[in-house]
Amino acid sequence: MSACTRDEWMTVAAARLLRDRSVCFVGIGLPSAACNLARLTHAPEIVLIYESGTIGTRPQVLPLSIGDGELAETAACVVPLPEVFSYYLQAGRIDVGFLGAAQIDRHGNLNSTVIGPYGAPKTRLPGAGGAPEIALHARQVFVMARATKRSFVERLDFRTSAGYLDGHGARARLGAAGGGPRAVITDFGMLAPHPQSEELQLVALFADASVEEARAAVGWPLGVADRIDTIAAPTALELDTLRALNARTREAHARPVRIPL
Amino acid sequence: MSACTRDEWMTVAAARLLRDRSVCFVGIGLPSAACNLARLTHAPEIVLIYESGTIGTRPQVLPLSIGDGELAETAACVVPLPEVFSYYLQAGRIDVGFLGAAQIDRHGNLNSTVIGPYGAPKTRLPGAGGAPEIALHARQVFVMARATKRSFVERLDFRTSAGYLDGHGARARLGAAGGGPRAVITDFGMLAPHPQSEELQLVALFADASVEEARAAVGWPLGVADRIDTIAAPTALELDTLRALNARTREAHARPVRIPL
Amino acid sequence: MSAAILSLAEAIERYVADGASVALEGFTHLIPFAAGHEIIRQRKRELHLIRMTPDLVYDQMIGMGCARKLTFSWGGNPGVGSLHRLRDAVEHGWPRPLELDEHSHAGMAAAFCAGAAQLPFGMLRGYIGTDLPAHNPNIRRVECPFTGEMLAAVPAINPDVTILHAQRADRAGNVAIDGIVGAAREAALAAKTLVVTVEELVDALPPAMNGIVLPHWVVGAVVPCRGGAYPSYAHGHYARDNAFYQRWDAIARERGSFLAWMEEHVLGTRDHHAFLARLQQEAA
Amino acid sequence: MSAAILSLAEAIERYVADGASVALEGFTHLIPFAAGHEIIRQRKRELHLIRMTPDLVYDQMIGMGCARKLTFSWGGNPGVGSLHRLRDAVEHGWPRPLELDEHSHAGMAAAFCAGAAQLPFGMLRGYIGTDLPAHNPNIRRVECPFTGEMLAAVPAINPDVTILHAQRADRAGNVAIDGIVGAAREAALAAKTLVVTVEELVDALPPAMNGIVLPHWVVGAVVPCRGGAYPSYAHGHYARDNAFYQRWDAIARERGSFLAWMEEHVLGTRDHHAFLARLQQEAA
């Protein structure tokens, strides 16, 4: 497995966190790959929900968009989007929500809105989408984001969705129902909140990564847990399954589409 | 047409009030017969909605209940009941609502809840159902009720749904969106609100009924419009169509149902 | 997480506790009669019954003394007339007094929707000019923070258990409903536990796309129960027995005839199959 | 009362006035691209564009100067990256400044639902711990009259015109949608006028039962328009052209390449058929 990329490792590490039969609210990109990898390996009965309203979907290839036809065709049912957010997410029926972001701070708060001032942005990002309420209501949130000092920052330019706010129970005091970001899977390993301070600290490293690499990639003084686990390299099965999924996906998305004339 | 009953005449009179293409929120009983008679005669494109969620239904026989299978099978679509009340009725998409009641007062307010005090009723009636919001939101309401001094009363025991409240614009001042009870079809003819006082007054009589009969059947001193129209007897087409509909209905409902063993 | 597949007796025993709030939903269509009868057989007491249209099945449960409270919006025998047992309970406290939590359809629908969405209240533009709010402290008002308009508010309904009847479920517990659905889906999603009796258990549901499916992980238990909605109906399986609804008027009018009928047909039968067999025997 | 059957040019001319609030909905699926292009061809101006996920069609309208304001909840090229024209408008005011009314998906869904129900506001348990309310006075709070809990409130969205694309309509104007629907139905019912472009006009819709149908009397106009969702997709008719979405990133990155592409493909074609023919020619 020497040639395994960090993206692959992140995807495998995230997939391993998912228990069979758990109900996941899936976003596009690495989370979608991780959830489907879990489904194709150790969690065949995992329930995948995409915010487009596809409930219990089992795509053969990864969707490019959150609303690809593949998702609808393989779903147990398709419901209107308002129902996904009110009857499923807000109602507390989601075990795991996945989020990514342009910026994350030490308490797992996320920015996907803007770099620079809101009214005069340096970079306008896509915005909130489902994130604020996923962050609020999912029993646990997993964040997947590659780490740099520009993305793992001391201070967010904008708080799009709540992690642990200022920590020390601030989130719970505000009445957020879900458990918050229980894990941040990044390209050196994994961060998790300290039980009291709720500050993200290093809890696991990929087998070929180091604490120094982690500290160099994070824009705040990164705390380290008493014990740092090692995340084993992807197994042959995991890697083969993921690569086959990605290959099927590339092939499907490259297939020329007939212009509907 | 000598043998035409007053129920038939009421049904025909109500049907004649319905314009083609109007959207009607239909209740069970005489209103259902009237709406379907209209559909089978002069208003083939009338849109019938039953509160069970059947939109644009075209039943071959009259339903016994508001949710008979016949309604679903012949509907343009079937939507959940909350949507009927929020997306259709409350949203102001209903032209005509039909209501009946155990008691009606001079301003067209209706009681279908209780005779006697609410906490210690002499007769407990079925209750509100859809009536309060039909009364509020339909562009116009038609009431169908046989008249006696016990049903057309000086004072309601309970106000289940709003007509013109105390009249003189009281309804509009309360912010009710719909137009209120524009016609009360009863077994001597028709009442309608006076333009200023909004008190129901006699505006039309069946060809064989009299003002005296009307006054004798109404529990308040019944006002009479400047001009009283005569409601022509049912035509042969109307009566044949209605009787055929009722005969089909009786036959269908008498058909023994296989017990699903 | 996945739904258990139970017998009806097991499901009622396990999920309907004395004193529980229980919603048997289904609007005319798919009324879970078999479940109501089993609640009567198991002599459940002090229930808070919830249902937009109590119908015959609640008339039976109320008359047999299962209920202390009723949340409802229309309590009649559809197309026929009164529910005599409901009336007797309200008018004369027989067999015991019945507390009423009374709404309009629109209000109760809003309350179920709020329950399904886990919001504390539902709102509507309704109840204007009616006496209901004067008799029900559960009908209040809320102000629009943008326009200042006052709207009606009702508390969310979240039954301890909702029981539905549906056409089919698969072995994982996914439930599919065709036809008139009323507020059944909202009542299901609002419940702490959902029990669904079904006409048939199948290996795989037909493709649903935009149809009505309750996914297995919101379903507590699935109960195979053929004919479980009779004398109501199951679209595609059997028709509503309108004649039974008409006969019920005479059966339920007097306490004696009601009790005798219930003794013989419900308490005197082991299960829904036996109940249906008894009726068929009588019809023959 | 019944829907008019119009050409796309007629429908846009008649129903989309300069300055109007316009929602082209459809969540990834059934995005009404043809209608957006016709709005550009007719050089509509000062529009208040409304859409949960602006997507390429809004990138195009914004870049061509049709919009003064955008109500939205996620503005990216799905699975690809940025909407460069949206960014240029927000970051540099090119071709003109764009006012933002920014929400989360849950908030915007609640606003569409309120619009469809003709309620003045929608509510949700949301926006907690986010900076959005600080920048959007349209996100407020409302107190539950039963529990005292504070919930988020958003004003109803009621567009002057909503435009959808759907698979089929019948000649009366009943519209049927299969597959992913997003908030399209709520946006449709919230609109003052609803225009629907469809893949095909049929004599009779297939039986719908619990499927998604917009009845003819809520539809203002139906526009036959084959391929009207391309490069988005119409379930059962054609697939999403993911490659086009990826190509758009390069086309839209610079003002010059964007304008040249729009001139040639949209302004330079008479209608959607000609647009598709031009693309096919290029692909050959």
Side-chain angles (χ1 to χ4, degrees):
Chain A
M1 292 308 120
S2 58
C4 139
T5 69
R6 283 290 170 89
D7 271 8
E8 287 170 337
W9 208 328
M10 285 172 69
T11 306
V12 167
R16 287 178 188 158
L17 295 178
L18 298 172
R19 293 178 29 196
D20 199 12
R21 299 185 173 282
S22 60
V23 178
C24 301
F25 203 93
V26 190
I28 288 304
L30 293 184
S32 178
C35 289
N36 282 288
L37 175 59
R39 182 171 64 80
L40 296 170
T41 53
H42 66 282
E45 299 302 322
I46 195 170
V47 176
L48 305 187
I49 298 183
Y50 288 73
E51 66 193 14
S52 55
T54 54
I55 308 262
T57 185
R58 310 173 71 81
Q60 280 299 302
V61 303
L62 297 175
L64 182 73
S65 83
I66 202 100
D68 278 18
E70 172 84 4
L71 296 174
E73 273 154 21
T74 62
C77 62
V78 179
V79 303
L81 181 140
E83 291 181 13
V84 177
F85 280 91
S86 60
Y87 289 177
Y88 287 89
L89 180 62
Q90 179 176 270
R93 297 182 210 281
I94 306 295
D95 295 316
V96 178
F98 274 94
L99 293 175
Q103 292 182 330
I104 179 170
D105 71 12
R106 72 178 69 198
H107 290 110
N109 304 298
L110 303 175
N111 172 20
S112 57
T113 301
V114 76
I115 304 294
Y118 184 82
K122 188 167 159 291
T123 306
R124 175 64 223 199
L125 304 167
E133 284 74 24
I134 293 170
L136 220 49
H137 297 299
R139 287 203 186 89
Q140 42 184 345
V141 167
F142 296 155
V143 178
M144 295 185 79
R146 293 169 203 107
T148 69
K149 284 194 189 295
R150 287 174 56 206
S151 58
F152 282 51
V153 297
E154 184 73 47
R155 190 173 192 79
L156 300 180
D157 288 18
F158 189 98
R159 191 164 67 202
T160 308
S161 54
Y164 296 102
L165 303 171
D166 295 322
H168 301 281
R171 175 191 169 89
R173 284 192 296 277
L174 225 62
R182 309 305 300 172
V184 176
I185 300 105
T186 184
D187 46 359
F188 54 75
M190 198 160 77
L191 311 182
H194 181 278
Q196 273 78 52
S197 72
E198 297 176 326
E199 180 173 318
L200 295 174
Q201 52 178 14
L202 183 65
V203 295
L205 284 168
F206 292 137
D208 64 351
S210 66
V211 173
E212 291 64 42
E213 180 189 345
R215 286 202 161 121
V218 170
W220 67 84
L222 180 65
V224 168
D226 293 341
R227 183 189 138 176
I228 299 183
D229 289 327
T230 298
I231 302 174
T235 65
L237 174 69
E238 287 167 334
L239 211 50
D240 288 351
T241 307
L242 176 59
R243 286 175 178 176
L245 176 62
N246 282 328
R248 280 200 302 281
T249 300
R250 271 191 306 273
E251 192 195 356
H253 291 171
R255 215 172 286 149
V257 164
R258 183 182 56 80
I259 288 172
L261 250 181
Chain B
M1 293 307 122
S2 58
C4 140
T5 69
R6 284 291 171 90
D7 270 9
E8 287 171 337
W9 208 328
M10 285 172 69
T11 306
V12 167
R16 287 177 188 158
L17 295 177
L18 298 172
R19 296 183 21 202
D20 199 12
R21 299 185 172 280
S22 61
V23 178
C24 301
F25 203 92
V26 191
I28 289 304
L30 293 183
S32 178
C35 288
N36 282 288
L37 175 59
R39 182 172 63 81
L40 296 169
T41 53
H42 66 280
E45 298 302 322
I46 195 170
V47 176
L48 305 187
I49 298 183
Y50 290 73
E51 66 194 13
S52 55
T54 54
I55 308 264
T57 185
R58 310 173 72 82
Q60 282 298 303
V61 303
L62 298 175
L64 182 73
S65 82
I66 203 100
D68 279 16
E70 172 84 5
L71 296 174
E73 273 154 20
T74 61
C77 62
V78 178
V79 303
L81 180 140
E83 290 180 14
V84 177
F85 280 91
S86 60
Y87 289 177
Y88 287 89
L89 180 62
Q90 178 176 270
R93 297 183 210 281
I94 305 295
D95 295 318
V96 178
F98 274 94
L99 292 176
Q103 292 182 331
I104 179 170
D105 71 12
R106 72 178 69 199
H107 290 108
N109 304 298
L110 303 175
N111 172 18
S112 57
T113 301
V114 77
I115 305 295
Y118 184 82
K122 187 166 161 294
T123 305
R124 175 64 224 198
L125 304 166
E133 284 74 24
I134 294 171
L136 220 50
H137 298 298
R139 288 205 184 85
Q140 43 184 346
V141 167
F142 296 155
V143 179
M144 296 185 78
R146 293 167 205 110
T148 70
K149 283 194 190 293
R150 288 175 53 205
S151 59
F152 282 52
V153 297
E154 184 72 47
R155 190 173 190 80
L156 300 180
D157 288 18
F158 189 99
R159 192 164 67 201
T160 309
S161 55
Y164 295 101
L165 302 171
D166 296 321
H168 301 280
R171 174 189 168 90
R173 284 193 296 277
L174 225 61
R182 309 306 298 172
V184 176
I185 300 105
T186 183
D187 46 359
F188 53 74
M190 199 159 78
L191 312 181
H194 181 277
Q196 273 78 52
S197 71
E198 296 176 327
E199 180 173 319
L200 296 173
Q201 51 178 14
L202 184 65
V203 296
L205 284 168
F206 292 136
D208 64 352
S210 67
V211 173
E212 292 65 39
E213 180 189 344
R215 286 204 161 119
V218 170
W220 67 83
L222 180 65
V224 168
D226 294 340
R227 182 187 139 179
I228 299 184
D229 289 327
T230 298
I231 301 172
T235 66
L237 174 68
E238 287 167 334
L239 211 50
D240 288 351
T241 307
L242 177 59
R243 287 175 177 177
L245 176 62
N246 282 328
R248 280 201 303 280
T249 300
R250 271 190 307 274
E251 191 195 356
H253 292 171
R255 213 171 289 149
V257 164
R258 183 182 57 79
I259 288 171
L261 251 181
Chain C
M1 219 56 208
S2 215
I5 296 182
L6 300 179
S7 76
L8 183 53
E10 285 172 321
I12 299 300
E13 221 171 279
R14 189 179 299 181
Y15 294 115
V16 181
D18 284 353
S21 60
V22 183
L24 279 69
E25 264 302 337
F27 199 83
T28 310
H29 182 215
L30 293 174
I31 299 177
F33 267 89
H37 289 174
E38 186 58 27
I39 286 170
I40 292 168
R41 281 192 201 97
Q42 293 191 18
R43 299 182 191 275
K44 299 293 183 184
R45 287 295 177 269
E46 299 287 324
L47 299 179
H48 171 189
L49 294 179
I50 302 167
R51 191 178 149 74
M52 297 189 70
T53 57
D55 205 82
L56 273 49
V57 68
Y58 275 33
D59 210 34
Q60 296 172 345
M61 285 194 276
I62 290 164
M64 295 303 283
C66 302
R68 69 166 177 84
K69 181 175 177 181
L70 176 67
T71 294
F72 79 114
S73 46
W74 191 83
N77 181 341
V80 178
S82 289
L83 292 177
H84 298 292
R85 298 298 99 222
L86 168 57
R87 280 188 56 181
D88 204 8
V90 175
E91 293 171 13
H92 309 109
W94 190 93
R96 51 158 301 165
L98 184 68
E99 185 187 339
L100 296 185
D101 170 31
E102 185 166 2
H103 295 268
S104 68
H105 280 352
M108 201 154 160
F112 271 136
C113 289
Q118 289 290 331
L119 288 172
F121 73 104
M123 64 174 163
L124 63 156
R125 196 178 274 123
Y127 289 118
I128 296 174
T130 86
D131 288 340
L132 281 165
H135 295 278
N136 189 344
N138 272 341
I139 304 169
R140 299 188 187 170
R141 281 146 68 82
V142 64
E143 186 179 355
C144 171
F146 301 95
T147 64
E149 181 183 350
M150 297 303 293
L151 298 153
V154 287
I157 295 177
N158 289 104
D160 291 328
V161 54
T162 289
I163 306 180
L164 301 186
H165 187 72
Q167 283 98 343
R168 52 186 71 83
D170 65 19
R171 283 164 216 288
N174 295 294
V175 172
I177 300 177
D178 287 316
I180 289 173
V181 68
R185 209 177 46 135
E186 284 72 19
L189 294 171
K192 296 186 187 76
T193 302
L194 170 62
V195 174
V196 188
T197 61
V198 295
E199 288 297 319
E200 44 175 353
L201 204 59
V202 297
D203 288 327
L205 295 176
M209 193 58 79
N210 303 105
I212 300 168
V213 172
L214 295 163
H216 64 84
W217 43 282
V218 308
V219 180
V222 165
V223 174
C225 182
R226 267 206 70 182
Y230 176 89
S232 159
Y233 74 107
H235 204 115
H237 289 256
Y238 47 92
R240 188 172 189 268
D241 193 346
N242 285 323
F244 184 90
Y245 274 80
Q246 280 155 333
R247 277 207 319 276
W248 182 253
D249 189 71
I251 294 167
R253 194 172 286 269
E254 302 298 331
R255 294 173 187 173
S257 57
F258 164 74
L259 286 174
W261 194 92
M262 293 300 290
E263 284 286 347
E264 182 182 346
H265 294 85
V266 177
L267 295 179
T269 53
R270 205 184 49 241
D271 59 17
H272 195 63
H273 183 84
F275 165 79
L276 293 176
R278 175 74 47 94
L279 288 181
Q280 192 172 57
Q281 211 173 19
E282 287 175 4
Chain D
M1 219 56 213
S2 215
I5 297 181
L6 300 178
S7 75
L8 182 53
E10 285 172 321
I12 299 301
E13 221 172 280
R14 189 179 301 180
Y15 294 116
V16 180
D18 283 354
S21 59
V22 184
L24 278 69
E25 264 301 337
F27 199 83
T28 310
H29 182 213
L30 294 174
I31 299 177
F33 267 89
H37 289 175
E38 185 59 27
I39 287 171
I40 292 167
R41 280 190 202 100
Q42 293 191 18
R43 298 179 192 277
K44 300 292 182 182
R45 287 294 177 269
E46 298 288 322
L47 300 180
H48 171 189
L49 294 180
I50 301 166
R51 189 176 153 75
M52 297 188 70
T53 55
D55 206 83
L56 273 50
V57 68
Y58 275 32
D59 209 35
Q60 295 172 345
M61 285 194 278
I62 290 164
M64 294 303 284
C66 301
R68 69 167 175 84
K69 181 176 176 181
L70 176 66
T71 293
F72 78 115
S73 45
W74 191 84
N77 181 341
V80 178
S82 289
L83 292 176
H84 299 291
R85 296 299 99 225
L86 168 57
R87 281 187 56 180
D88 204 10
V90 175
E91 294 170 13
H92 310 109
W94 190 93
R96 49 160 300 167
L98 184 68
E99 185 188 339
L100 297 185
D101 169 31
E102 184 166 4
H103 294 269
S104 69
H105 280 352
M108 203 156 159
F112 271 136
C113 288
Q118 290 291 330
L119 288 172
F121 74 103
M123 64 173 162
L124 65 154
R125 196 178 273 125
Y127 289 119
I128 296 175
T130 85
D131 289 340
L132 281 165
H135 295 278
N136 189 342
N138 271 342
I139 304 170
R140 298 188 188 172
R141 281 147 68 82
V142 64
E143 185 180 356
C144 171
F146 301 96
T147 64
E149 182 183 350
M150 297 304 292
L151 297 154
V154 287
I157 296 177
N158 289 104
D160 291 329
V161 54
T162 288
I163 306 180
L164 301 185
H165 187 71
Q167 282 97 344
R168 52 187 71 82
D170 65 19
R171 282 164 216 290
N174 296 293
V175 172
I177 301 177
D178 288 314
I180 289 172
V181 67
R185 208 177 45 133
E186 284 71 20
L189 293 170
K192 296 188 186 75
T193 301
L194 170 62
V195 174
V196 188
T197 61
V198 295
E199 287 297 318
E200 44 176 352
L201 204 58
V202 297
D203 289 326
L205 295 178
M209 193 57 80
N210 303 104
I212 300 169
V213 172
L214 295 163
H216 64 83
W217 43 282
V218 308
V219 180
V222 164
V223 174
C225 182
R226 266 206 71 183
Y230 176 89
S232 158
Y233 73 107
H235 205 117
H237 290 256
Y238 47 91
R240 187 171 189 269
D241 194 346
N242 285 322
F244 185 90
Y245 275 80
Q246 281 156 332
R247 273 199 331 267
W248 183 253
D249 189 72
I251 294 168
R253 195 173 284 269
E254 301 299 330
R255 294 172 188 172
S257 56
F258 164 75
L259 286 174
W261 194 92
M262 293 300 291
E263 284 286 347
E264 181 182 346
H265 295 85
V266 178
L267 295 179
T269 54
R270 205 183 48 243
D271 57 18
H272 195 63
H273 183 84
F275 166 79
L276 294 176
R278 174 72 49 93
L279 287 182
Q280 192 172 57
Q281 210 172 19
E282 287 176 4

